[in-house]
Amino acid sequence: MQPNSPWRTADFRTLFGATALSQLGANVSYVAVPLVAVAELDASPGQVGALATLSTLAFLLIGLPAGAWVDRMRHRRVLIAADLARATLFASVPLAWWLDALTLGQLYAVVLLSGCATVFFDVGSQSTLPGLVGRDALVPANAAMMSLLAVSNVAGRSAGGTLVQLLTAPVAVLCTAASHLASALRLTAVRGAVAPPVPTGATRLRTQVGEGLRHVFRNRELRALALTAALTNLGSQIINTMLPVLFVRELDLPASALGLYWAAGGVGLLLGARCARPLASRLGYGRTLGVMGLCLAPAGLLVPLIDRGPWLWIAGTGGVLAMFKTGMDNVLGVSLRQRMTPDALLGRMNATFRFVLTGALAVGAAAAGLIGELAGVRTTLWVGAAFLATAFLPVFLSPVRTRRVLPDQQPSPVGPPAPRIPKVPRS
């Protein structure tokens, strides 16, 4: 085992296992929840778009202050509370369905509130990682986490489609609740000192949020990474929001076919995550992000060609190539931004990125619903593909493209030092 391997750290292994359970549940719900709306509640394209919007709207509503809150709290407690909240919310869906009381309004509330819990889980998880493994092990740790995300996409979404087909969509949602509960129980085993809270004193929340925003948007490299990732998310969400309608209603394909199509994208994500380090070692970090983006991003234009027969395979190939780029970007981009951020700002930096990136998902879902109602499903797919094909430009035109290695030194925090306060007991 290499000296900088994150697998040497027991707490990282625990976090990895808990995240695997949580991601499995999240990917099952990614397939099952919109199919509950379509199959059980007869939702229209606009209503499906609204459902997808609400599932990510929390990042726009509380994403920025969540980073400052996470910087003040014990990360393990944040992660456990978020998983327990999601388990409870998703368990309410099959219960209401069994009682013949499920409504679209309840489904909207569940995805909105579970999205709020996901805000804290995602920000807390990324903020915890540097403290668990050390900054020298960030690239292999992020590669492991992104590979996990990709494997979860493959396993969770294919399983989600199969569960919906065999057991109905509401029962599949119950499996999501069980996965989040198991993740919360697993996280109780984390014992290490995970990113102790930054001293806050009398510093106002608005001031702390502003420090995170300035850190990201005044840095040309961080700003470019945020814009490229936001455009990728925007295009992907526009496409993915309409796929349940396209598969189930227009192409009359089974739910398992939709799950397998999304699972194929997860294979691309996995391959991209696994190839990121070797490519960066050979080409340099920036050149890998820029040049590979130029080569792979246009493949997204194949996705709107999706249809029965060979066109399903052609569109699937385009989706796999686009997700390969995303998996590679995730490993290298997340590692770069973590190395460029001091510990005191990690929560706020991650929250700023999640605000921008998941905010793009909310905008994409809303746009997909609107375009789908006004211009049809196919037009919606072409709009999303156009964003995917051009998403690489901010990084390609920025100083990121010339960076060969990650920064060696941790930068200094933005703004004046905060007053010291007594240490908080470790959880």
Side-chain angles (χ1 to χ4, degrees):
M1 188 178 293
Q2 297 179 354
N4 66 341
S5 172
W7 299 107
R8 298 169 66 93
T9 305
D11 281 338
F12 173 76
R13 297 194 297 270
T14 301
L15 177 65
F16 185 89
T19 304
L21 292 167
S22 185
Q23 284 294 325
L24 178 64
N27 280 286
V28 169
S29 70
Y30 189 89
V31 179
V33 169
L35 290 178
V36 168
V38 172
E40 303 293 335
L41 301 175
D42 197 27
S44 68
Q47 290 171 325
V48 174
L51 187 68
T53 301
L54 289 170
S55 68
T56 53
L57 186 61
F59 281 89
L60 289 176
L61 298 177
I62 64 170
L64 290 176
W69 290 328
V70 167
D71 279 339
R72 299 179 178 190
M73 295 186 288
R74 289 286 139 193
H75 295 160
R76 187 186 72 152
R77 294 178 182 176
V78 172
L79 298 178
I80 292 173
D83 262 333
L84 290 176
R86 290 187 290 186
T88 302
L89 288 164
F90 282 116
S92 73
V93 173
L95 177 61
W97 172 75
W98 182 67
L99 295 173
D100 198 23
L102 182 64
T103 65
L104 201 56
Q106 179 184 344
L107 212 56
Y108 286 158
V110 167
V111 297
L112 176 61
L113 294 175
S114 65
C116 292
T118 299
V119 170
F120 285 95
F121 189 93
D122 287 357
V123 173
S125 178
Q126 289 189 350
S127 301
T128 294
L129 199 58
L132 287 181
V133 304
R135 289 179 177 266
D136 289 340
L138 276 178
V139 174
N142 282 317
M145 297 301 282
M146 293 306 133
S147 298
L148 169 63
L149 176 64
V151 171
S152 299
N153 282 354
V154 176
R157 296 182 185 184
S158 58
T162 302
L163 287 170
V164 169
Q165 190 166 337
L166 295 178
L167 303 175
T168 72
V171 177
V173 175
L174 181 61
C175 296
T176 292
S179 294
H180 286 304
L181 178 60
S183 174
L185 295 175
R186 179 63 177 153
L187 284 167
T188 60
V190 174
R191 298 301 180 191
V194 285
V198 61
T200 57
T203 305
R204 298 177 63 186
L205 182 65
R206 181 182 301 176
T207 301
Q208 290 189 292
V209 170
E211 289 174 355
L213 288 168
R214 288 193 297 274
H215 174 68
V216 172
F217 289 105
R218 287 184 180 177
N219 184 299
R220 292 181 64 191
E221 292 179 272
L222 293 178
R223 183 169 66 241
L225 290 170
L227 291 175
T228 283
L231 289 172
T232 300
N233 281 6
L234 182 64
S236 297
Q237 186 74 342
I238 290 174
I239 291 172
N240 288 334
T241 300
M242 285 296 104
L243 285 183
V245 180
L246 178 68
F247 269 74
V248 174
R249 289 191 181 161
E250 296 198 5
L251 300 182
D252 196 27
L253 292 170
S256 58
L258 175 61
L260 289 174
Y261 183 87
W262 273 330
V267 172
L269 195 68
L270 173 61
L271 293 175
R274 301 309 300 171
C275 292
R277 291 178 65 196
L279 286 172
S281 298
R282 181 179 296 271
L283 302 177
Y285 282 82
R287 189 178 299 174
T288 301
L289 287 168
V291 175
M292 295 301 290
L294 174 65
C295 296
L296 296 176
L301 293 173
L302 295 174
V303 175
L305 302 176
I306 189 170
D307 208 332
R308 286 179 167 272
W311 289 108
L312 182 62
W313 294 95
I314 293 172
T317 300
V320 168
L321 291 175
M323 292 304 293
F324 180 94
K325 172 188 173 294
T326 300
M328 186 180 58
D329 288 356
N330 284 347
V331 172
L332 301 182
V334 170
S335 299
L336 177 58
R337 76 196 203 205
Q338 286 172 333
R339 285 284 286 269
M340 296 181 71
T341 302
D343 287 339
L345 279 171
L346 277 171
R348 283 164 283 170
M349 178 276 293
N350 286 320
T352 300
F353 266 85
R354 298 303 295 175
F355 173 80
V356 175
L357 272 55
T358 315
L361 295 179
V363 172
L370 180 61
I371 299 170
E373 288 284 353
L374 297 179
V377 172
R378 291 288 178 178
T379 301
T380 306
L381 296 182
W382 281 109
V383 172
F387 282 109
L388 277 182
T390 57
F392 73 98
L393 288 174
V395 162
F396 189 78
L397 300 176
S398 78
V400 173
R401 185 165 55 92
T402 63
R403 177 177 287 280
R404 294 197 59 84
V405 297
L406 294 176
D408 290 329
Q409 301 296 326
Q410 183 186 159
S412 300
V414 175
R420 301 184 65 84
I421 61 171
K423 292 184 178 179
V424 179
R426 293 177 180 175
S427 60

